[in-house]
Amino acid sequence: MSADNPPAAVNDFLDPDDPTLFPRLTKLQVEQVAGIAERISLAAGEVLFEQDQRDTPFYVVRSGSVDILDRRPEGERYFTQCREGTFIGDVAVFTGEPTIAAGVAAEPTSLLAMSPGALRSLVGRSPELGDLILRTMVARREWLQGHGYGQQRLVGSRWSSDAFAVRELLQRNLVPFTWHDLETDDESRTLLAGLGIGAADCPVLIRSDSVVRRATVEGVADELGLRAHVDGETFDVVVLGGGPAGLASAVYASSEGLTTLVVERFAPGGQAGTSARIENYLGFPTGLSGAELTRGATLQARKFGVVISSAHEGIRVSETDAGGWRTLTLADGQNVRGRSVVVASGADYRRLPAGNAERFEGLGLYYAATHIEALQTAGEDVMVAGGGNSAGQAVMNLSGHARKVHLVVRRPLDLTMSRYLVDRIETTPNVVIWSGCEVHALHGGDKLEAVTISGPGRHRRIDATAVFAMIGASPRTDCVAGFVGLDDKGFIVTGDDARRHHDFSQHWDGADRYPLLLETTRRGVFAAGDVRRGSTKRVASAVGDGALVVRLIHESLDRGRG
């Protein structure tokens, strides 16, 4: 923008002198950046970076100022300005994600520019400056999301399985977006009509510079660049799975100088990432949400240079070559090499064994209870199936919105759920507990309308618009089935269990040692978290596995060199 054609500021314009969101760097800090940064100059009105641009450099304003704009199909919104002595960007700049705003020089401006990789290196070498940058970036992202800036819009029907899948992808990958239900949002229907888009083209993802019609998980993942391009690259450690165990493995490995790749089938965070509130995790007396845990862990991993690839899956792990490297083939045909492999693919909730369950997936039957699903149940009757902590957290989340929550469990709650959750559920007036019961069948036309539960005495039909099923763990071992030893329930065996497995003699290479504690029947291939036999299904336990597995990787490599 130029002085002759200034942008119109929004009503909630962010003060460029806010000390929390725009801290001024000291002269020494600017000199630290200047020593490794490129110097650039812009004329008034020249674009510094565009919205949705990936791998945007980190900028420090030396003189002049940069207007920050939210570009939308209906027009631009000018919501703040970065001035001399401040730096530009939120966590997207640090991680290489697409930016959620655009930057345009407001006047002749000079800046220091640094790549995301150089920024991560600076943060690692300069703790005080690094903490300031990270703290400010996180605060900026929270402000932006709280005020609705830079958010993509997903428009579709609540009862569309495609819309549900895309919505889950965006939410669990922490992509800023808003959900608009065609059945209830008049403004979105008007916007689609103005863009010449009909209901048959939904779900529709509206970005700053493009519109994705008939959006699918695969198409949106490619559009947003969630999948990393790593074909032909080599890493010290390749982690299959981005839940708490996988992210912890990545953080500890990369912080100790091991190049690390995380390949995650759907989204970082695992089952924990879908939790509305985790209250028994050490160090967080007021609890934290799964999204907060995931955001912090992924940011921490990327701080140390971890490459994270979402909506990406490994399908095959090779034998070691002559140099001790394994080749991992990914579902899209890319191949990477790794010295050590950590299988941390976690476990999925088992599919609900009830009549018509498959038909209603995404149309009223869900395997997570996120904030969006909770909002959509306002004033309705819903059901939760399962007696673990995840089910208990879902009940409490939903009870704040739904008219009534039916909790269906096979055994008394105090046998399977933490006491603090049992106490809350039993004293919540709009929760009904059906102990000794199971979900028998789901009913409805185009959407779920009722559920039949079976229990002592007789079947009972209950009106419900949604069922949230959380009924146990099924290990995700597709990519290593037949490659490493599994127990009779499909969990990966490690340590002494691996040595006693009937496939050990065929899998294990070498007679110098037996498998280490978390090592599988294959040398240099480890398992951590819920996918491992004997693991405790808790976030803290998974994180502990992640820390331990890195020590074991070092031990394995040291013995190999010896």
Side-chain angles (χ1 to χ4, degrees):
M1 301 295 174
S2 68
D4 297 329
N5 185 28
V10 296
N11 291 331
D12 56 349
F13 188 79
L14 174 58
D15 182 4
D17 294 318
D18 183 295
T20 300
L21 298 175
F22 294 100
R24 263 52 179 183
L25 299 182
T26 66
K27 182 178 180 181
L28 179 60
Q29 289 170 334
V30 172
E31 289 175 354
Q32 281 183 276
V33 175
I36 54 176
E38 176 188 358
R39 290 165 171 76
I40 63 173
S41 298
L42 298 179
E46 192 172 348
V47 175
L48 179 61
F49 57 89
E50 278 292 358
Q51 194 160 327
D52 292 325
Q53 178 178 312
R54 295 186 66 85
D55 296 315
T56 303
F58 172 76
Y59 297 106
V60 174
V61 182
R62 300 187 71 193
S63 65
S65 57
V66 176
D67 292 331
I68 307 300
L69 311 171
D70 181 15
R71 300 197 194 276
R72 298 189 171 201
E74 63 268 32
E76 295 180 343
R77 295 197 298 172
Y78 166 48
F79 62 89
T80 195
Q81 188 178 77
C82 293
R83 297 175 178 169
E84 182 177 342
T86 64
F87 56 88
I88 300 174
D90 75 333
V91 293
V93 176
F94 185 81
T95 62
E97 301 169 45
T99 55
I100 62 176
V104 180
E107 56 186 309
T109 301
S110 65
L111 306 104
L112 299 173
M114 183 187 304
S115 70
L119 174 61
R120 287 191 288 269
S121 177
L122 175 66
V123 167
R125 295 194 314 271
S126 306
E128 183 178 348
L129 178 56
D131 288 349
L132 173 65
I133 291 171
L134 285 176
R135 187 170 61 248
T136 303
M137 286 182 167
V138 170
R140 286 177 178 174
R141 173 57 66 94
E142 291 175 351
W143 187 93
L144 289 165
Q145 289 186 323
H147 289 75
Y149 290 108
Q151 295 190 342
Q152 302 174 63
R153 280 179 281 186
L154 179 63
V155 184
S157 170
R158 170 187 176 185
W159 307 109
S160 162
S161 56
D162 286 339
F164 169 76
V166 173
R167 191 176 72 197
E168 186 179 24
L169 177 78
L170 296 174
Q171 185 167 28
R172 291 189 57 189
N173 279 281
L174 305 177
V175 176
F177 81 105
T178 54
W179 162 248
H180 303 269
D181 189 346
L182 274 176
E183 281 81 14
T184 60
D185 192 336
D186 293 335
E187 182 180 339
S188 292
R189 287 198 296 269
T190 301
L191 176 61
L192 292 186
L195 294 171
I197 299 173
D201 290 321
C202 291
V204 171
L205 182 66
I206 302 174
R207 308 189 68 204
S208 63
D209 58 352
S210 64
V211 175
V212 181
R213 293 171 168 82
R214 301 182 184 181
T216 63
V217 166
E218 294 76 14
V220 170
D222 289 337
E223 175 77 14
L224 300 181
L226 297 178
R227 292 175 178 156
H229 296 287
V230 290
D231 191 36
E233 293 190 28
T234 297
F235 297 88
D236 294 318
V237 180
V238 178
V239 182
L240 300 176
L247 289 173
S249 301
V251 167
Y252 284 103
S254 58
S255 68
E256 294 178 14
L258 299 175
T259 56
T260 306
L261 168 68
V262 175
V263 179
E264 165 53 43
R265 178 179 64 98
F266 193 71
Q271 286 187 9
T274 68
S275 178
R277 181 63 49 179
I278 302 169
E279 296 194 58
N280 56 357
Y281 190 51
L282 184 67
F284 294 86
T286 60
L288 77 167
S289 70
E292 290 169 336
L293 176 66
T294 302
R295 169 69 72 189
T298 54
L299 183 60
Q300 191 174 22
R302 284 180 163 129
K303 168 184 174 181
F304 292 115
V306 175
V307 178
I308 300 176
S309 187
S310 293
H312 219 167
E313 191 166 15
I315 60 172
R316 187 168 59 255
V317 183
S318 78
E319 303 282 355
T320 54
D321 61 20
W325 297 88
R326 296 185 186 274
T327 297
L328 290 88
T329 301
L330 307 182
D332 62 350
Q334 296 189 68
N335 290 283
V336 297
R337 295 202 311 156
R339 176 77 70 183
S340 301
V341 177
V342 178
V343 184
S345 45
D348 287 324
Y349 291 119
R350 290 200 298 268
R351 268 21 204 176
L352 187 69
N356 298 320
E358 186 175 346
R359 174 186 159 199
F360 285 106
E361 279 198 29
L363 302 174
L365 172 59
Y366 309 104
Y367 292 94
T370 67
H371 180 63
I372 290 179
E373 278 77 54
L375 291 176
Q376 287 190 159
T377 65
E380 301 176 359
D381 291 358
V382 301
M383 184 174 291
V384 175
N389 277 10
S390 295
Q393 291 157 356
V395 168
M396 296 311 302
N397 184 31
L398 294 164
S399 67
H401 304 275
R403 189 181 75 89
K404 185 179 291 186
V405 180
H406 297 274
L407 175 58
V408 180
V409 291
R410 291 187 299 172
R411 295 186 289 168
L413 286 181
D414 55 7
L415 297 181
T416 58
M417 190 179 294
S418 294
R419 187 71 242 176
Y420 78 92
L421 280 171
V422 176
D423 291 341
R424 290 182 187 176
I425 288 170
E426 290 179 342
T427 57
T428 301
N430 63 333
V431 175
V432 179
I433 302 172
W434 299 92
S435 187
C437 296
E438 296 179 293
V439 176
H440 179 72
L442 282 65
H443 312 284
D446 295 334
K447 56 188 178 182
L448 183 65
E449 297 171 3
V451 180
T452 295
I453 63 173
S454 60
R458 63 187 179 88
H459 287 18
R460 183 185 298 269
R461 185 179 172 112
I462 297 172
D463 290 338
T465 59
V467 172
F468 300 90
M470 301 169 185
I471 55 171
S474 177
R476 284 170 34 192
T477 53
D478 293 349
C479 71
V480 293
F483 180 71
V484 299
L486 308 178
D487 70 7
D488 57 354
K489 294 182 180 179
F491 291 90
I492 298 175
V493 294
T494 59
D496 286 342
D497 288 337
R499 181 172 60 85
R500 291 190 291 265
H501 192 270
H502 55 79
D503 287 332
F504 175 72
S505 60
Q506 297 155 323
H507 290 177
W508 191 256
D509 178 24
D512 58 317
R513 66 176 179 85
Y514 287 129
L516 301 173
L517 185 61
L518 299 184
E519 200 167 18
T520 70
T521 55
R522 298 280 184 177
R523 194 182 190 109
V525 179
F526 301 82
D530 290 356
V531 76
R532 178 178 64 82
R533 177 181 179 178
S535 65
T536 302
K537 305 301 186 283
R538 290 287 187 270
V539 174
S541 175
V543 172
D545 269 16
L548 175 58
V549 81
V550 174
R551 183 181 71 78
L552 298 175
I553 287 172
H554 282 299
E555 185 176 342
S556 172
L557 294 174
D558 289 343
R559 291 192 184 187
R561 284 190 287 267

